[in-house]
Amino acid sequence: MKQTTAYRNLMRSGQIILAPGAYDGMTAKLVEGAGFPAVYMTGAGTAATLGYPDFGLVTMTEMVANATTLARSVNIPVIADADTGYGNELNVTRTVREHEARGVAGIHIEDQVAPKRCGHLDGKEIIPADEFVAKIRAAVAARRDQDFVIIARTDARAVTGFDEAIARANAAVAAGADMAFVEAVQTMEELQAVPKLVQGPCLLNVVRGGKTPDIDFATAQSIGYRLAILPSLLLLAATEACISALRGVKETNAPPSSAGAMPVSERFRRLGSDEWIALSTRFRDAAAPRAAE
């Protein structure tokens, strides 16, 4: 089954889809291994792997390359951050086709001015609503696989207010977007209102320390959200763990104790070593192919 179709089936289930954010092949595999039904390719995490903050410094080619790595690494659908679509309708068309060709299940495209920045930072700017809707129309028209998911993200809440954000989300859905992503709502009242006011499925962005209030996923489903992404979950955990490990070595002038550490074999097993070990001997005992007569 294509991952686009697999994701569409998840959407039809009526259950909220939880998609932790991954930023490389390893973290994507960990998400899959933990039993989640989908993985989200975080743009902030992708930028971080290249040594940049989430300030729109990463190109479409670099983002697609990372999405390709994630899609290759797992057997669950990958939803990818595609920033602003990297230009006008022509660029958006290519953005959709590049992601679709690499096995990604869907992308979201936003209405920020390029270069964009993290949706939970101040100082954002947005393009006119008609330009945003034109990009969404172009994205919908560009896909060759009708199961490929187009998610319309608006950052208008922080710039022109909640009502404008809802209006843009509804305009995008009317233009053919499969899901709306109202970024960085700031109160529980707004969080609860989005699925009621938007005339289509809604995405919830869960960012620890961000502008949106915390909410559990059962409640999120009950009020109408259909996809919850956790873009910073593993990136933050890895950052904190790395800082702690480095500080420990610096302060003690010794490596950490091996007691209780995950065995080396288990680390590789989580990356698929069992499959590769099986492949390394699978063909050795097979009968040698007969020479062509």
Side-chain angles (χ1 to χ4, degrees):
M1 181 187 299
K2 296 179 298 183
Q3 294 306 335
T4 51
T5 305
Y7 183 77
R8 289 283 182 172
N9 289 341
L10 288 172
M11 289 181 65
R12 296 186 188 104
S13 73
Q15 300 297 309
I16 190 169
I17 304 165
L18 304 184
Y23 50 84
D24 59 11
M26 180 185 74
T27 49
K29 281 183 173 293
L30 293 176
V31 170
E32 181 180 37
F36 288 93
V39 60
Y40 172 68
M41 190 200 84
T42 159
T46 300
T49 65
L50 297 172
Y52 296 119
D54 189 14
F55 279 14
L57 300 170
V58 183
T59 67
M60 185 205 73
T61 302
E62 291 168 324
M63 293 285 276
V64 169
N66 202 32
T68 302
T69 296
L70 268 65
R72 163 186 55 75
S73 299
V74 298
N75 292 310
I76 56 176
V78 173
I79 302 298
D81 183 349
D83 293 330
T84 64
Y86 311 101
N88 63 16
E89 296 93 324
L90 298 181
N91 305 97
V92 166
T93 296
R94 184 183 174 204
T95 296
V96 169
R97 290 179 178 173
E98 293 289 344
H99 283 88
E100 185 180 24
R102 286 160 173 79
V104 175
I107 59 174
H108 65 72
I109 297 172
E110 67 201 54
D111 59 356
Q112 280 197 56
V113 170
K116 54 76 56 87
R117 61 177 58 192
C118 170
H120 290 258
L121 293 177
D122 296 327
K124 296 184 293 185
E125 299 177 74
I126 55 175
I127 61 176
D130 59 344
E131 292 183 18
F132 174 49
V133 172
K135 286 188 179 187
I136 298 303
R137 289 197 190 102
V140 171
R143 61 187 174 188
R144 296 184 172 102
D145 178 355
Q146 294 307 301
D147 281 343
F148 186 83
V149 175
I150 304 296
I151 301 170
R153 165 178 156 176
T154 176
D155 286 71
R157 167 62 187 90
V159 182
T160 52
F162 182 73
D163 291 343
E164 172 67 9
I166 295 298
R168 286 184 176 225
N170 279 325
V173 170
D178 300 294
M179 182 171 282
F181 175 1
V182 179
E183 173 66 305
V185 295
Q186 298 180 17
T187 68
M188 186 58 71
E189 290 73 23
E190 290 179 352
L191 188 67
Q192 294 171 336
V194 167
K196 297 176 182 177
L197 298 175
V198 173
Q199 297 166 6
C202 292
L203 178 155
L204 173 65
N205 189 16
V206 181
V207 178
R208 182 177 166 194
K211 295 182 179 295
T212 301
D214 293 333
I215 186 173
D216 66 85
F217 299 121
T219 302
Q221 176 172 311
S222 71
I223 63 178
Y225 286 97
R226 290 296 169 257
L227 170 64
I229 59 173
L230 298 90
S232 62
L233 178 68
L234 298 184
L235 179 63
L236 181 58
T239 301
E240 291 176 340
C242 288
I243 291 172
S244 176
L246 292 167
R247 182 185 296 123
V249 172
K250 186 74 171 177
E251 292 176 351
T252 64
N253 198 33
S257 171
S258 295
M262 181 185 294
V264 173
S265 60
E266 176 63 13
R267 298 174 215 171
F268 290 129
R269 190 191 66 77
R270 290 172 183 264
L271 297 174
S273 62
D274 289 346
E275 175 188 359
W276 290 100
I277 290 170
L279 278 172
S280 70
T281 58
R282 175 180 172 184
F283 305 103
R284 294 183 181 180
D285 296 330
R290 294 166 58 184
E293 297 179 0

